[in-house]
Short mmCIF file of all heavy atoms in Angstrom, two decimals:
data_model
loop_
_atom_site.label_atom_id
_atom_site.label_comp_id
_atom_site.label_asym_id
_atom_site.label_seq_id
_atom_site.Cartn_x
_atom_site.Cartn_y
_atom_site.Cartn_z
N MET A 1459 18.63 59.49 27.44
CA MET A 1459 17.56 59.77 26.47
C MET A 1459 17.66 58.58 25.43
O MET A 1459 18.69 58.23 24.96
CB MET A 1459 17.75 61.04 25.86
CG MET A 1459 16.52 61.44 24.92
SD MET A 1459 16.70 62.88 24.00
CE MET A 1459 17.16 64.07 25.06
N GLN A 1460 16.49 58.09 25.06
CA GLN A 1460 16.48 56.97 24.10
C GLN A 1460 16.40 57.53 22.68
O GLN A 1460 15.70 58.48 22.34
CB GLN A 1460 15.22 56.14 24.38
CG GLN A 1460 15.30 54.75 23.83
CD GLN A 1460 14.04 53.98 24.32
OE1 GLN A 1460 12.98 54.51 24.68
NE2 GLN A 1460 14.16 52.67 24.39
N GLN A 1461 17.23 56.86 21.81
CA GLN A 1461 17.24 57.26 20.41
C GLN A 1461 16.06 56.67 19.66
O GLN A 1461 15.65 55.50 19.94
CB GLN A 1461 18.48 56.77 19.74
CG GLN A 1461 19.76 57.35 20.26
CD GLN A 1461 19.95 58.83 19.67
OE1 GLN A 1461 19.37 59.15 18.62
NE2 GLN A 1461 20.72 59.61 20.43
N ARG A 1462 15.46 57.45 18.78
CA ARG A 1462 14.42 56.93 17.94
C ARG A 1462 14.94 56.10 16.82
O ARG A 1462 15.96 56.48 16.25
CB ARG A 1462 13.56 58.07 17.34
CG ARG A 1462 12.64 58.73 18.26
CD ARG A 1462 11.77 59.67 17.50
NE ARG A 1462 10.79 60.25 18.37
CZ ARG A 1462 9.88 60.97 17.93
NH1 ARG A 1462 9.79 61.32 16.68
NH2 ARG A 1462 8.93 61.42 18.75
N LYS A 1463 14.24 55.10 16.43
CA LYS A 1463 14.66 54.28 15.26
C LYS A 1463 14.26 55.00 13.96
O LYS A 1463 13.21 55.65 13.93
CB LYS A 1463 14.03 52.89 15.29
CG LYS A 1463 14.62 52.04 16.44
CD LYS A 1463 14.00 50.60 16.30
CE LYS A 1463 14.52 49.78 17.36
NZ LYS A 1463 13.93 48.46 17.39
N ASN A 1464 15.06 54.92 12.97
CA ASN A 1464 14.72 55.52 11.72
C ASN A 1464 13.79 54.57 11.00
O ASN A 1464 14.19 53.56 10.50
CB ASN A 1464 16.02 55.79 10.90
CG ASN A 1464 15.71 56.62 9.66
OD1 ASN A 1464 14.56 56.85 9.40
ND2 ASN A 1464 16.73 57.06 8.97
N SER A 1465 12.53 54.90 10.91
CA SER A 1465 11.51 54.11 10.31
C SER A 1465 11.65 53.99 8.80
O SER A 1465 11.12 53.04 8.21
CB SER A 1465 10.13 54.55 10.66
OG SER A 1465 9.88 55.77 10.19
N LYS A 1466 12.29 54.87 8.12
CA LYS A 1466 12.48 54.86 6.75
C LYS A 1466 13.38 53.66 6.29
O LYS A 1466 13.08 53.08 5.20
CB LYS A 1466 13.19 56.14 6.16
CG LYS A 1466 12.16 57.19 5.83
CD LYS A 1466 12.88 58.31 5.10
CE LYS A 1466 11.85 59.24 4.49
NZ LYS A 1466 12.49 60.34 3.84
N ASN A 1467 14.38 53.34 7.07
CA ASN A 1467 15.25 52.22 6.72
C ASN A 1467 14.52 50.79 6.78
O ASN A 1467 14.82 49.94 6.05
CB ASN A 1467 16.43 52.18 7.68
CG ASN A 1467 17.39 53.34 7.36
OD1 ASN A 1467 17.37 53.89 6.25
ND2 ASN A 1467 18.20 53.68 8.39
N ASN A 1468 13.49 50.75 7.57
CA ASN A 1468 12.77 49.56 7.69
C ASN A 1468 11.89 49.25 6.52
O ASN A 1468 11.45 48.12 6.34
CB ASN A 1468 11.90 49.50 9.04
CG ASN A 1468 12.78 49.50 10.25
OD1 ASN A 1468 13.90 49.12 10.16
ND2 ASN A 1468 12.20 49.93 11.35
N ARG A 1469 11.55 50.28 5.71
CA ARG A 1469 10.68 50.15 4.57
C ARG A 1469 11.43 49.86 3.27
O ARG A 1469 10.89 49.78 2.18
CB ARG A 1469 9.89 51.38 4.37
CG ARG A 1469 9.03 51.65 5.54
CD ARG A 1469 8.20 52.89 5.29
NE ARG A 1469 7.45 53.21 6.56
CZ ARG A 1469 6.62 54.22 6.63
NH1 ARG A 1469 6.39 55.00 5.64
NH2 ARG A 1469 6.05 54.45 7.78
N ASN A 1470 12.78 49.71 3.34
CA ASN A 1470 13.62 49.50 2.13
C ASN A 1470 13.82 47.99 1.84
O ASN A 1470 14.93 47.56 1.90
CB ASN A 1470 14.96 50.15 2.31
CG ASN A 1470 15.13 51.30 1.37
OD1 ASN A 1470 14.28 51.47 0.48
ND2 ASN A 1470 16.23 51.99 1.45
N TYR A 1471 12.71 47.25 1.68
CA TYR A 1471 12.84 45.93 1.34
C TYR A 1471 12.18 45.65 -0.02
O TYR A 1471 11.50 46.45 -0.52
CB TYR A 1471 12.25 45.00 2.42
CG TYR A 1471 10.89 45.30 2.79
CD1 TYR A 1471 9.86 44.60 2.09
CD2 TYR A 1471 10.50 46.17 3.82
CE1 TYR A 1471 8.52 44.90 2.43
CE2 TYR A 1471 9.30 46.38 4.16
CZ TYR A 1471 8.26 45.76 3.52
OH TYR A 1471 6.95 46.02 3.78
N LEU A 1472 12.40 44.43 -0.60
CA LEU A 1472 11.90 44.14 -1.90
C LEU A 1472 10.56 43.36 -1.72
O LEU A 1472 10.32 42.57 -0.86
CB LEU A 1472 12.87 43.26 -2.58
CG LEU A 1472 14.24 43.82 -2.92
CD1 LEU A 1472 15.15 42.80 -3.51
CD2 LEU A 1472 14.13 45.10 -3.80
N ILE A 1473 9.63 43.75 -2.66
CA ILE A 1473 8.35 43.12 -2.75
C ILE A 1473 8.19 42.62 -4.22
O ILE A 1473 8.69 43.15 -5.13
CB ILE A 1473 7.21 44.02 -2.32
CG1 ILE A 1473 7.16 45.27 -3.17
CG2 ILE A 1473 7.21 44.34 -0.89
CD1 ILE A 1473 5.94 46.06 -2.92
N LYS A 1474 7.37 41.60 -4.35
CA LYS A 1474 7.10 41.03 -5.70
C LYS A 1474 5.93 41.84 -6.38
O LYS A 1474 4.89 41.93 -5.77
CB LYS A 1474 6.80 39.54 -5.57
CG LYS A 1474 8.02 38.75 -5.18
CD LYS A 1474 7.79 37.30 -5.32
CE LYS A 1474 9.05 36.62 -4.84
NZ LYS A 1474 9.20 35.30 -5.35
N CYS A 1475 6.17 42.12 -7.58
CA CYS A 1475 5.12 42.78 -8.40
C CYS A 1475 4.95 42.00 -9.67
O CYS A 1475 5.88 41.48 -10.23
CB CYS A 1475 5.56 44.18 -8.76
SG CYS A 1475 5.76 45.24 -7.31
N THR A 1476 3.77 42.02 -10.18
CA THR A 1476 3.33 41.26 -11.40
C THR A 1476 3.31 42.25 -12.55
O THR A 1476 2.62 43.25 -12.44
CB THR A 1476 2.10 40.54 -11.28
OG1 THR A 1476 2.16 39.64 -10.18
CG2 THR A 1476 1.73 39.71 -12.54
N CYS A 1477 4.03 41.97 -13.60
CA CYS A 1477 4.02 42.80 -14.79
C CYS A 1477 2.72 42.68 -15.53
O CYS A 1477 2.30 41.53 -15.77
CB CYS A 1477 5.15 42.42 -15.66
SG CYS A 1477 5.20 43.33 -17.29
N PRO A 1478 2.05 43.78 -15.84
CA PRO A 1478 0.77 43.67 -16.52
C PRO A 1478 0.93 43.23 -18.02
O PRO A 1478 -0.06 42.75 -18.70
CB PRO A 1478 0.14 45.09 -16.46
CG PRO A 1478 1.34 45.95 -16.31
CD PRO A 1478 2.36 45.12 -15.52
N ASN A 1479 2.15 43.32 -18.55
CA ASN A 1479 2.37 42.90 -20.01
C ASN A 1479 2.62 41.49 -20.18
O ASN A 1479 2.02 40.82 -21.02
CB ASN A 1479 3.55 43.74 -20.57
CG ASN A 1479 3.21 45.21 -20.54
OD1 ASN A 1479 2.16 45.66 -20.94
ND2 ASN A 1479 4.11 46.03 -20.05
N CYS A 1480 3.55 40.91 -19.34
CA CYS A 1480 3.94 39.51 -19.52
C CYS A 1480 3.46 38.63 -18.41
O CYS A 1480 3.73 37.47 -18.36
CB CYS A 1480 5.51 39.48 -19.74
SG CYS A 1480 6.40 39.85 -18.27
N THR A 1481 2.93 39.15 -17.35
CA THR A 1481 2.46 38.46 -16.14
C THR A 1481 3.50 37.72 -15.34
O THR A 1481 3.20 36.84 -14.63
CB THR A 1481 1.24 37.47 -16.47
OG1 THR A 1481 1.70 36.47 -17.28
CG2 THR A 1481 0.17 38.26 -17.12
N GLN A 1482 4.77 38.08 -15.53
CA GLN A 1482 5.89 37.55 -14.78
C GLN A 1482 6.06 38.32 -13.52
O GLN A 1482 5.78 39.63 -13.47
CB GLN A 1482 7.20 37.56 -15.58
CG GLN A 1482 7.17 36.71 -16.75
CD GLN A 1482 7.32 35.23 -16.46
OE1 GLN A 1482 8.02 34.90 -15.33
NE2 GLN A 1482 6.83 34.34 -17.19
N GLN A 1483 6.44 37.72 -12.39
CA GLN A 1483 6.69 38.47 -11.18
C GLN A 1483 8.20 38.86 -11.07
O GLN A 1483 9.06 38.08 -11.42
CB GLN A 1483 6.36 37.58 -9.96
CG GLN A 1483 4.88 37.55 -9.69
CD GLN A 1483 4.53 36.96 -8.34
OE1 GLN A 1483 5.42 36.36 -7.70
NE2 GLN A 1483 3.33 37.11 -7.85
N SER A 1484 8.36 40.06 -10.52
CA SER A 1484 9.78 40.52 -10.30
C SER A 1484 9.79 41.30 -9.02
O SER A 1484 8.72 41.71 -8.49
CB SER A 1484 10.18 41.44 -11.46
OG SER A 1484 9.34 42.50 -11.61
N GLU A 1485 10.95 41.50 -8.48
CA GLU A 1485 11.11 42.16 -7.16
C GLU A 1485 11.51 43.61 -7.38
O GLU A 1485 12.28 43.94 -8.17
CB GLU A 1485 12.17 41.49 -6.32
CG GLU A 1485 11.76 40.05 -5.89
CD GLU A 1485 12.81 39.50 -4.95
OE1 GLU A 1485 13.97 39.90 -5.00
OE2 GLU A 1485 12.40 38.58 -4.18
N HIS A 1486 10.83 44.46 -6.63
CA HIS A 1486 11.04 45.95 -6.66
C HIS A 1486 11.08 46.54 -5.25
O HIS A 1486 10.47 45.90 -4.37
CB HIS A 1486 9.94 46.63 -7.56
CG HIS A 1486 9.96 46.21 -8.99
ND1 HIS A 1486 10.85 46.71 -9.89
CD2 HIS A 1486 9.19 45.32 -9.60
CE1 HIS A 1486 10.56 46.14 -11.03
NE2 HIS A 1486 9.66 45.28 -10.93
N SER A 1487 11.63 47.69 -5.09
CA SER A 1487 11.79 48.27 -3.80
C SER A 1487 10.42 48.75 -3.33
O SER A 1487 9.62 49.27 -4.07
CB SER A 1487 12.68 49.55 -3.92
OG SER A 1487 12.59 50.31 -2.75
N PHE A 1488 10.12 48.46 -2.00
CA PHE A 1488 8.85 48.77 -1.42
C PHE A 1488 8.59 50.31 -1.54
O PHE A 1488 7.45 50.73 -1.93
CB PHE A 1488 8.78 48.42 0.00
CG PHE A 1488 7.59 48.75 0.74
CD1 PHE A 1488 6.40 48.17 0.62
CD2 PHE A 1488 7.67 49.87 1.61
CE1 PHE A 1488 5.29 48.51 1.27
CE2 PHE A 1488 6.49 50.28 2.35
CZ PHE A 1488 5.35 49.66 2.21
N SER A 1489 9.56 51.09 -1.21
CA SER A 1489 9.37 52.48 -1.28
C SER A 1489 9.13 53.04 -2.65
O SER A 1489 8.32 53.98 -2.79
CB SER A 1489 10.66 53.25 -0.58
OG SER A 1489 11.81 52.95 -1.38
N ARG A 1490 9.74 52.43 -3.62
CA ARG A 1490 9.49 52.88 -5.01
C ARG A 1490 8.11 52.61 -5.48
O ARG A 1490 7.39 53.39 -6.14
CB ARG A 1490 10.48 52.27 -5.98
CG ARG A 1490 10.29 52.59 -7.49
CD ARG A 1490 11.40 51.95 -8.24
NE ARG A 1490 12.65 52.75 -7.97
CZ ARG A 1490 13.31 53.33 -8.96
NH1 ARG A 1490 12.96 53.25 -10.17
NH2 ARG A 1490 14.36 54.02 -8.60
N VAL A 1491 7.59 51.44 -5.08
CA VAL A 1491 6.15 51.08 -5.42
C VAL A 1491 5.25 51.93 -4.71
O VAL A 1491 4.23 52.46 -5.30
CB VAL A 1491 5.96 49.60 -5.10
CG1 VAL A 1491 4.47 49.23 -5.24
CG2 VAL A 1491 6.80 48.68 -5.89
N GLN A 1492 5.49 52.29 -3.38
CA GLN A 1492 4.57 53.16 -2.66
C GLN A 1492 4.51 54.52 -3.20
O GLN A 1492 3.48 55.24 -3.13
CB GLN A 1492 4.97 53.17 -1.16
CG GLN A 1492 4.73 51.85 -0.48
CD GLN A 1492 3.23 51.51 -0.47
OE1 GLN A 1492 2.42 52.34 -0.17
NE2 GLN A 1492 2.92 50.28 -0.89
N LYS A 1493 5.65 55.05 -3.80
CA LYS A 1493 5.65 56.38 -4.34
C LYS A 1493 4.89 56.44 -5.66
O LYS A 1493 4.59 57.53 -6.13
CB LYS A 1493 7.07 56.79 -4.55
CG LYS A 1493 7.89 57.13 -3.30
CD LYS A 1493 9.29 57.60 -3.73
CE LYS A 1493 10.11 57.72 -2.51
NZ LYS A 1493 11.54 57.97 -2.93
N GLY A 1494 4.67 55.26 -6.28
CA GLY A 1494 4.00 55.34 -7.62
C GLY A 1494 5.02 55.57 -8.73
O GLY A 1494 4.50 55.92 -9.85
N SER A 1495 6.25 55.22 -8.51
CA SER A 1495 7.23 55.42 -9.52
C SER A 1495 7.12 54.39 -10.63
O SER A 1495 6.53 53.31 -10.45
CB SER A 1495 8.66 55.34 -8.94
OG SER A 1495 8.91 56.29 -7.99
N ALA A 1496 7.65 54.66 -11.79
CA ALA A 1496 7.62 53.77 -12.91
C ALA A 1496 8.58 52.61 -12.64
O ALA A 1496 9.68 52.80 -12.20
CB ALA A 1496 8.05 54.51 -14.19
N LEU A 1497 8.12 51.40 -12.87
CA LEU A 1497 8.92 50.18 -12.74
C LEU A 1497 9.18 49.59 -14.06
O LEU A 1497 8.42 49.73 -15.03
CB LEU A 1497 8.15 49.19 -11.87
CG LEU A 1497 7.63 49.66 -10.53
CD1 LEU A 1497 6.73 48.62 -9.87
CD2 LEU A 1497 8.78 50.03 -9.61
N MET A 1498 10.31 48.89 -14.18
CA MET A 1498 10.70 48.25 -15.43
C MET A 1498 10.72 46.74 -15.21
O MET A 1498 11.38 46.23 -14.26
CB MET A 1498 12.03 48.72 -15.95
CG MET A 1498 12.36 48.20 -17.27
SD MET A 1498 13.89 48.78 -17.96
CE MET A 1498 14.88 47.40 -17.76
N CYS A 1499 10.09 45.98 -16.04
CA CYS A 1499 10.07 44.49 -15.96
C CYS A 1499 11.36 43.97 -16.53
O CYS A 1499 11.78 44.34 -17.64
CB CYS A 1499 8.86 43.95 -16.72
SG CYS A 1499 8.81 42.19 -16.80
N PRO A 1500 12.08 43.12 -15.74
CA PRO A 1500 13.36 42.64 -16.20
C PRO A 1500 13.15 41.54 -17.28
O PRO A 1500 14.07 41.18 -17.99
CB PRO A 1500 13.96 42.02 -14.92
CG PRO A 1500 12.88 41.83 -14.02
CD PRO A 1500 11.85 42.85 -14.34
N HIS A 1501 11.90 41.00 -17.41
CA HIS A 1501 11.67 39.92 -18.40
C HIS A 1501 11.34 40.45 -19.74
O HIS A 1501 11.90 40.00 -20.76
CB HIS A 1501 10.48 39.04 -17.85
CG HIS A 1501 10.78 38.52 -16.49
ND1 HIS A 1501 11.63 37.47 -16.31
CD2 HIS A 1501 10.21 38.88 -15.26
CE1 HIS A 1501 11.67 37.24 -14.97
NE2 HIS A 1501 10.81 38.01 -14.36
N CYS A 1502 10.46 41.45 -19.77
CA CYS A 1502 10.03 42.01 -21.17
C CYS A 1502 10.50 43.40 -21.42
O CYS A 1502 10.25 43.97 -22.44
CB CYS A 1502 8.51 41.88 -21.30
SG CYS A 1502 7.57 42.97 -20.18
N SER A 1503 11.14 44.00 -20.42
CA SER A 1503 11.75 45.40 -20.56
C SER A 1503 10.70 46.43 -20.72
O SER A 1503 11.04 47.58 -21.26
CB SER A 1503 12.78 45.44 -21.64
OG SER A 1503 13.86 44.52 -21.33
N LYS A 1504 9.47 46.21 -20.37
CA LYS A 1504 8.37 47.29 -20.51
C LYS A 1504 8.36 48.00 -19.17
O LYS A 1504 8.55 47.53 -18.17
CB LYS A 1504 7.12 46.59 -20.74
CG LYS A 1504 6.88 45.79 -21.98
CD LYS A 1504 6.74 46.76 -23.12
CE LYS A 1504 6.53 45.85 -24.36
NZ LYS A 1504 6.29 46.62 -25.55
N ILE A 1505 7.97 49.37 -19.25
CA ILE A 1505 7.81 50.20 -18.12
C ILE A 1505 6.40 50.22 -17.79
O ILE A 1505 5.55 50.40 -18.67
CB ILE A 1505 8.42 51.54 -18.45
CG1 ILE A 1505 9.92 51.49 -18.70
CG2 ILE A 1505 8.13 52.59 -17.30
CD1 ILE A 1505 10.55 52.76 -19.10
N PHE A 1506 6.11 50.05 -16.53
CA PHE A 1506 4.70 50.14 -16.01
C PHE A 1506 4.69 50.73 -14.62
O PHE A 1506 5.70 50.89 -13.88
CB PHE A 1506 4.11 48.79 -16.00
CG PHE A 1506 4.79 47.81 -15.01
CD1 PHE A 1506 4.28 47.53 -13.73
CD2 PHE A 1506 5.92 47.11 -15.41
CE1 PHE A 1506 4.88 46.73 -12.87
CE2 PHE A 1506 6.58 46.23 -14.50
CZ PHE A 1506 6.04 46.00 -13.23
N ASN A 1507 3.45 51.15 -14.27
CA ASN A 1507 3.22 51.64 -12.86
C ASN A 1507 2.36 50.63 -12.12
O ASN A 1507 1.37 50.22 -12.60
CB ASN A 1507 2.43 53.01 -12.88
CG ASN A 1507 3.32 54.13 -13.40
OD1 ASN A 1507 4.49 54.05 -13.16
ND2 ASN A 1507 2.70 55.07 -13.98
N GLN A 1508 2.88 50.22 -10.99
CA GLN A 1508 2.19 49.19 -10.19
C GLN A 1508 1.09 49.82 -9.40
O GLN A 1508 1.35 50.79 -8.64
CB GLN A 1508 3.17 48.48 -9.34
CG GLN A 1508 2.55 47.35 -8.52
CD GLN A 1508 2.24 46.14 -9.34
OE1 GLN A 1508 2.89 45.82 -10.31
NE2 GLN A 1508 1.12 45.56 -9.01
N ASP A 1509 -0.08 49.31 -9.42
CA ASP A 1509 -1.14 49.67 -8.59
C ASP A 1509 -0.92 49.20 -7.19
O ASP A 1509 -0.53 48.05 -6.98
CB ASP A 1509 -2.55 49.10 -9.11
CG ASP A 1509 -3.74 49.59 -8.30
OD1 ASP A 1509 -3.58 50.61 -7.60
OD2 ASP A 1509 -4.77 48.95 -8.45
N LYS A 1510 -1.08 50.06 -6.17
CA LYS A 1510 -0.78 49.69 -4.78
C LYS A 1510 -1.62 48.57 -4.31
O LYS A 1510 -1.14 47.74 -3.50
CB LYS A 1510 -0.99 50.90 -3.91
CG LYS A 1510 0.03 52.00 -4.13
CD LYS A 1510 -0.23 53.19 -3.22
CE LYS A 1510 0.67 54.36 -3.66
NZ LYS A 1510 0.42 55.53 -2.88
N ALA A 1511 -2.83 48.42 -4.78
CA ALA A 1511 -3.71 47.30 -4.32
C ALA A 1511 -3.32 45.99 -4.92
O ALA A 1511 -3.74 44.89 -4.47
CB ALA A 1511 -5.14 47.64 -4.68
N ALA A 1512 -2.57 45.98 -6.08
CA ALA A 1512 -2.31 44.77 -6.80
C ALA A 1512 -0.92 44.18 -6.39
O ALA A 1512 -0.43 43.22 -7.03
CB ALA A 1512 -2.35 45.00 -8.32
N VAL A 1513 -0.28 44.64 -5.36
CA VAL A 1513 1.02 44.19 -4.97
C VAL A 1513 0.82 42.78 -4.34
O VAL A 1513 0.06 42.62 -3.42
CB VAL A 1513 1.71 45.16 -4.03
CG1 VAL A 1513 3.03 44.57 -3.46
CG2 VAL A 1513 2.00 46.42 -4.64
N ALA A 1514 1.61 41.85 -4.77
CA ALA A 1514 1.50 40.44 -4.21
C ALA A 1514 2.45 40.27 -3.02
O ALA A 1514 3.54 40.74 -2.97
CB ALA A 1514 1.79 39.43 -5.21
#
């Protein structure tokens, strides 16, 4: 019997998001962005929610 691959592990990679406050790009977890969790910009330390359509 063939084992199924765990598809959740394949989604745990980093994507670049642009901060709406300082317009700097930073890397965040794909799964965190898809859930709509709050993200923190490492440049200006502001907390923001990334729109799923605006992910670069």
Side-chain angles (χ1 to χ4, degrees):
M1459 188 187 308
Q1460 201 174 22
Q1461 292 284 337
R1462 283 189 174 184
K1463 290 183 180 179
N1464 189 353
S1465 63
K1466 272 190 166 180
N1467 291 339
N1468 294 338
R1469 297 180 188 182
N1470 245 354
Y1471 56 89
L1472 299 176
I1473 57 172
K1474 292 189 180 201
C1475 299
T1476 304
C1477 175
N1479 299 313
C1480 67
T1481 66
Q1482 293 285 331
Q1483 283 195 345
S1484 57
E1485 292 183 335
H1486 296 280
S1487 169
F1488 174 79
S1489 58
R1490 180 174 285 238
V1491 173
Q1492 290 298 312
K1493 287 180 189 175
S1495 299
L1497 306 173
M1498 188 175 105
C1499 177
H1501 304 284
C1502 67
S1503 300
K1504 299 281 184 178
I1505 295 176
F1506 64 96
N1507 288 330
Q1508 183 68 37
D1509 184 16
K1510 292 178 187 177
V1513 175

